[in-house]
Amino acid sequence: MSQQILIVGLGMFGMSLACTLSDKGAEVLAVDRRRNLVEEASAFVAEAVVVDATDETELARLRPAQRDACVCAIGDDSKEASIICTAMLRQMGAPWVIARANNPMHQRILQLVGAHMVVNPEQEFGKRFANRLIYRHVVADMPLGEDLHITEISVQPPMVGKNLVQLELPKRFGVMVVAIRRGKPSRILQPSPQDPLQEGDNLVIVSNEAVIPNLIKLTGGA
């Protein structure tokens, strides 16, 4: 059975999230006060309705307690509305409430009113994009916590033809290769210690963020 997810707020973040979740098979109920955005979302979500999420009666009709997750994606237009909506979603028994914050103070308030998770999409994208800007061979980067990151890097020319045993990446850099992305269309492969790396391969590694510049520098990246 597909997950049922309520998304409140159809700005750029909410609309993108609704589209992506729908593509992945989730049953998305998308709501916003703006009819034009609701009509846009109706093209790809299971259901889209015009709702004022700060109205307790209207929000209750969406049955948040019966959803697998509820996302309050209300953006910069109204921090007060996002706080009210998040608090009511918790009071109505929503099992998993994710709220979007715009700054640290907003984040603290959302946590105080009960959000299970608070995200700041602009801040998180900025951090990930900074690594891609500085380290040109970083394809993607995602934090796992305070210290660890999952990073996808392109295989550098000196690495082509060598296998993971020869490269000794755990010993030399303290990184663990968890997957290899290969080919077009790309396939995710379980790494084999004896399998030579190919031109165009990407390595998906788990490491401390501080290791990345040394890894790229010493394996031939710019």
Side-chain angles (χ1 to χ4, degrees):
M1 182 177 178
S2 60
Q3 290 198 50
Q4 295 189 347
I5 299 176
L6 168 64
I7 297 179
V8 179
L10 294 174
M12 292 183 64
F13 172 63
M15 190 73 77
S16 176
L17 183 62
C19 183
T20 303
L21 288 171
S22 297
D23 287 344
K24 293 181 179 296
E27 185 177 324
V28 175
L29 169 57
V31 306
D32 198 287
R33 293 185 297 181
R34 295 162 289 188
R35 183 171 296 278
N36 63 314
L37 296 179
V38 170
E39 291 175 351
E40 181 181 344
S42 66
F44 50 81
V45 300
E47 186 179 1
V49 293
V50 177
V51 165
D52 178 359
T54 63
D55 185 304
E56 187 173 4
T57 301
E58 290 189 35
L59 190 63
R61 291 196 187 105
L62 304 177
R63 305 187 307 278
Q66 298 179 28
R67 310 288 170 181
D68 294 290
C70 297
V71 181
C72 180
I74 298 173
D76 294 328
D77 53 333
S78 180
K79 294 182 178 66
E80 181 180 354
S82 75
I83 294 166
I84 293 171
C85 176
T86 299
M88 290 197 301
L89 287 171
R90 281 304 313 269
Q91 290 170 7
M92 292 175 184
W96 186 240
V97 178
I98 301 96
R100 174 191 174 182
N102 302 306
N103 55 53
M105 176 64 74
H106 190 199
Q107 178 175 343
R108 289 196 293 271
I109 295 172
L110 290 169
Q111 290 170 334
L112 287 171
V113 299
H116 295 99
M117 177 185 293
V118 179
V119 297
N120 186 324
E122 291 83 1
Q123 182 183 64
E124 292 176 12
F125 176 78
K127 288 180 179 178
R128 292 197 298 269
F129 186 71
N131 277 344
R132 294 183 63 181
L133 190 63
I134 294 172
Y135 312 126
R136 302 297 175 86
H137 299 281
V138 170
V139 178
D141 178 68
M142 182 179 71
L144 287 177
E146 292 295 326
D147 299 319
L148 292 180
H149 280 240
I150 293 181
T151 307
E152 183 174 339
I153 64 172
S154 55
V155 166
Q156 305 305 305
M159 303 167 71
V160 174
K162 297 180 181 178
N163 60 39
L164 296 178
V165 172
Q166 294 170 314
L167 291 172
E168 297 183 311
L169 298 181
K171 180 179 178 181
R172 295 171 63 197
F173 303 103
V175 308
M176 178 183 300
V177 179
V178 295
I180 296 174
R181 187 188 299 274
R182 174 173 295 164
K184 293 184 179 180
S186 64
R187 298 171 296 146
I188 299 294
L189 307 175
Q190 182 176 352
S192 169
Q194 304 296 335
D195 183 22
L197 298 175
Q198 301 178 14
E199 184 177 357
D201 282 354
N202 288 344
L203 300 182
V204 181
I205 65 173
V206 175
S207 72
N208 185 289
E209 183 180 13
V211 167
I212 302 302
N214 290 333
L215 172 62
I216 293 175
K217 181 179 178 180
L218 294 180
T219 53

